Amino acid sequence: MLSEQEKLDSLTRLGIELNQINDLDILMERVLTRARQFANADAGSIYICQNGFLFFSYTQNDTLHKKLPQGANLIYSTFKIPINTKSIAGYVASTGCALNIPDVYDLEATLPYRFSKQFDETAGYKTQSVLTIPLMTSSKTILGILQIINAQNASGKIVSFSAQDVRMMHHFAAVASVALERAQMTRALILRMISMAEMRDPFETGPHVNRVAGFAVEIYEQWAIRHRIDRTVIDKTRDVLRMAAMLHDVGKVGTSDLILNKPARLNADEYEVMKAHTIQGARLFMHQQSDFDEAAGIVALNHHERWDGQGYPGHIDYRSGLPLTGYMRPDGRAPGKKGTEIPLFGRIVAVADVFDALSTKRTYKEAWNEEEILSQIERGSGSHFDPELVEIFFSRYDMLRAIQKRYCEDAEHL
Ligand code: C2E
Ligand code: SIN
Ligand code: SIN
Ligand code: SIN
Ligand code: FE
Ligand code: FE
C-alpha cells in the first residue's frame, strides 16, 4: 500500500510519460481524413473492437457534412454490431480479410454477409462502393476496422475502389494500427494509473473522467471556432485539453479517505482540506516543460475558480499555497481569480465538471434531474461560469448529450 506521498510521487513521474501522448480520438479522425484523401472517398468510418462488438467510433461524410451548419460536427451514433460474418464490418473484423465491394446493394446471395441498410435509412445517404480493411497489430490482434465509402472519379461519379487503393489502404491500416495500439495503451495506462493511485472516490471513475474531457473538448472547439482560432491549433489543443481535463481531479489522491468518501455534506474544515486538491494537482505537473503538463497544471489549479471571483484557490503560488505578492486579503487569504483572470481551460473544465457532477450520483448526493441541472447551469452564467461558455453549452447541448451517452457507466470506452 503506497503512502499519500508515494502516490503523489508516482503520479509526478506519470507527467513525463504523458509528454508522448497522441490523443486517440484526434488520431483516428486524422487516420480517416488521410485514408479518404488517398482514395478520394466521400465518407468513411472507423469501428473499434471492444467486448465482442464493433463500436461505430468515428465517422466522416462529406455529403452529409455539407448539409450541416458551419462548424457543426456529425453527431456520432453509438451503435455497435456483433463481430460475426453476417455484416460487412463484422466479416472483416472476424476473418481479418479485407473486402472491396463495388456496390453494397448488389451482393451475391451466397455471401455470408449483408449490407445493413440501417445507416443509409437513418442518415439519408446512398452507400455504393465500400472498402473495408482490418486494423491489426503485428501479432494479428484485430483492433477494429477502417472503412471508406463511395470512391469518386474526377467528375464526382461514384466508382469502385481500385487495386491500388486496396494496396494503399493496407499499408495505411498497418501504420494506423501501430499508432492506435500505442494510443489505446497509453490511454488505458492513464486510466489505470488514476484508479491505481486510487481516486478512492467511487464515482471519479473512467467514465466520469472521459465525459468531463469529452464535454471540455466540445466546448473548447466551439469557443475556438468563434474566436477564429486556426484549425491546426484547434486540433492540437483538443489533444492537450482532453488529457488535461481527464486529470482535473488527480490531486484528490492527496485527500484523506474520510473526507473524500464521506457519505454526507462536508463541514467547513473538511471542505478546506478538500479544496487543496486543486493545488496538489497543479504540483504534480510542475517542473515539466511540455504543453501537456502546462495544460494539466492549469486545469487542476483553476477548475474551481468562479467567474465572480468567489471560487478557489485564487491568486496563490501553487508551490507554497500562499497568496501571490500583492494578493493578500486582510484575513490572510488570496482573493479568487475573476473573469478572464481565470485561464480558459479552467473556465471550460468548470462547466464540464459541474455538469457531470450534477448529472451523476455521488457518495454525498443523488443525481439531479435534467431540468434542475440545466437551470443550475443557466443560473451560473456570469456568477459561477463564463457567460460565453454557458451560451456555447446550450448551443451544443445535443452534442454534449451524445458524449454523455457514449461514455455511460456500462459502456466504458477507452
Ligand atoms: P465533485 O463531486 O466532482 O463536484 C464538482 C463540483 O460540482 C463541485 O465543486 C460543485 O461546484 C458542483 N457540485 C457537485 N455537487 C453539487 C451539489 O449537490 N450542489 C451544487 N450546487 N453544486 C454541486 P466543489 O463544491 O468545490 O466540490 C469539489 C469536490 O469536493 C467535489 O467534486 C467532491 O469530491 C467534494 N465535495 C464537495 N462537497 C462535498 C460533500 O458535501 N461531501 C463529500 N463527501 N464530498 C464533497
Ligand atoms: C481532424 O480531422 O483532425 C479533426 C476533426 C474534427 O475536428 O472533428
Ligand atoms: C470530438 O472529438 O469531436 C468530440 C468528443 C469526442 O470525440 O469524444
Ligand atoms: C486564454 O485564456 O488562453 C484565452 C483568452 C481568454 O481567457 O479568453
Ligand atoms: Fe475538482
Ligand atoms: Fe470532477
Side-chain angles (χ1 to χ4, degrees):
M1 189 72 193
L2 297 180
S3 69
E4 305 303 357
Q5 189 56 49
E6 285 166 336
K7 286 175 186 171
L8 288 169
D9 289 344
S10 77
L11 280 160
T12 306
R13 284 194 298 276
L14 172 65
I16 298 159
E17 208 54 55
L18 294 175
N19 291 340
Q20 294 144 34
I21 279 179
N22 283 306
D23 182 86
L24 181 59
D25 290 328
I26 289 169
L27 186 81
M28 297 322 279
E29 292 286 356
R30 246 162 242 168
V31 165
L32 213 42
T33 304
R34 300 273 188 278
R36 290 173 49 236
Q37 276 167 359
F38 264 108
N40 198 31
D42 185 51
S45 299
I46 288 173
Y47 296 67
I48 309 255
C49 296
Q50 218 180 350
N51 308 327
F53 286 91
L54 279 169
F55 284 84
F56 185 72
S57 302
Y58 304 92
T59 188
Q60 294 176 357
N61 186 312
D62 283 346
T63 299
L64 295 178
H65 206 105
K66 279 186 198 119
K67 298 183 189 162
L68 294 173
Q70 239 241 313
N73 288 330
L74 289 170
I75 292 189
Y76 25 74
S77 149
T78 46
F79 84 79
K80 58 179 184 179
I81 46 182
I83 302 181
N84 61 38
T85 57
K86 292 190 176 136
S87 66
I88 296 170
Y91 181 89
V92 172
S94 42
T95 63
C97 299
L99 284 178
N100 183 11
I101 300 172
D103 185 351
V104 291
Y105 284 91
D106 189 21
L107 288 175
E108 300 255 357
T110 53
L111 292 169
Y113 47 83
R114 292 274 143 274
F115 174 62
S116 156
K117 299 179 181 71
Q118 193 191 343
F119 172 77
D120 278 4
E121 279 161 8
T122 29
Y125 188 71
K126 177 72 166 60
T127 303
Q128 187 177 322
S129 58
V130 174
L131 174 57
T132 311
I133 309 273
L135 297 174
M136 257 190 294
T137 64
S138 52
S139 58
K140 306 279 182 232
T141 304
I142 297 176
L143 300 172
I145 57 135
L146 165 65
Q147 184 167 72
I148 50 176
I149 296 171
N150 288 356
Q152 292 165 308
N153 67 13
S155 50
K157 184 176 168 327
I158 311 274
V159 293
S160 304
F161 288 95
S162 68
Q164 193 206 23
D165 289 339
V166 177
R167 279 196 304 278
M168 276 301 206
M169 285 309 114
H170 273 291
H171 176 65
F172 204 85
V175 174
S177 300
V178 171
L180 175 62
E181 187 182 24
R182 193 174 141 267
Q184 278 186 340
M185 278 173 9
T186 316
R187 182 175 278 202
L189 177 75
I190 294 171
L191 292 180
R192 219 174 307 129
M193 291 282 301
I194 290 171
S195 60
M196 234 168 52
E198 272 181 346
M199 298 303 295
R200 291 157 307 153
D201 177 343
F203 294 97
E204 293 281 340
T205 52
H208 165 68
V209 154
N210 273 309
R211 283 191 303 266
V212 172
F215 302 151
V217 167
E218 179 61 32
I219 294 168
Y220 164 74
E221 180 157 5
Q222 295 307 314
W223 182 94
I225 289 167
R226 286 176 173 219
H227 290 254
R228 311 210 176 283
I229 309 289
D230 193 75
R231 176 41 68 180
T232 53
V233 175
I234 296 181
D235 289 344
K236 186 163 184 294
T237 306
R238 279 172 31 138
D239 195 339
V240 165
L241 175 59
R242 185 186 305 275
M243 289 300 162
M246 286 178 84
L247 292 165
H248 70 279
D249 271 341
V250 82
K252 282 183 183 172
V253 295
T255 311
S256 117
D257 275 324
L258 291 174
I259 294 178
L260 199 55
N261 292 335
K262 183 178 176 181
R265 306 301 323 183
L266 301 179
N267 65 35
D269 291 339
E270 291 164 339
Y271 194 44
E272 283 310 307
V273 174
M274 177 56 93
K275 286 176 176 176
H277 79 277
T278 51
I279 300 173
Q280 282 163 337
R283 283 182 190 147
L284 292 174
F285 302 102
M286 80 181 177
H287 307 312
Q288 316 288 344
Q289 296 300 317
S290 73
D291 287 358
F292 170 78
D293 294 293
E294 192 195 348
I298 286 174
V299 166
L301 190 63
N302 294 289
H303 73 280
H304 289 296
E305 297 289 356
R306 292 173 48 114
W307 186 257
D308 60 11
Q310 300 304 303
Y312 61 88
H315 291 279
I316 49 110
D317 177 344
Y318 63 82
R319 280 162 290 225
S320 63
L322 296 170
L324 286 168
T325 319
Y327 282 107
M328 181 88 80
R329 291 193 316 202
D331 64 1
R333 291 161 176 266
K337 293 173 191 160
K338 248 194 199 139
T340 54
E341 287 172 359
I342 308 162
L344 178 67
F345 284 3
R347 298 183 335 246
I348 290 174
V349 173
V351 181
D353 185 33
V354 173
F355 176 50
D356 200 62
L358 299 180
S359 309
T360 50
K361 188 174 161 1
R362 293 282 200 257
T363 43
Y364 63 95
K365 59 165 270 292
E366 288 305 314
W368 292 21
N369 71 41
E370 188 173 19
E371 200 182 317
E372 291 168 338
I373 296 167
L374 295 183
S375 86
Q376 182 74 10
I377 301 279
E378 171 100 75
R379 260 204 311 278
S381 175
S383 53
H384 193 158
F385 309 119
D386 177 347
E388 184 181 6
L389 298 181
V390 172
E391 204 183 304
I392 291 171
F393 175 94
F394 284 103
S395 77
R396 302 300 293 169
Y397 186 61
D398 54 349
M399 190 62 113
L400 300 177
R401 290 284 300 191
I403 294 168
Q404 198 169 41
K405 277 220 192 79
R406 180 176 173 190
Y407 294 120
C408 64
E409 307 290 334
D410 53 1
E412 190 169 332
H413 208 96
L414 294 183

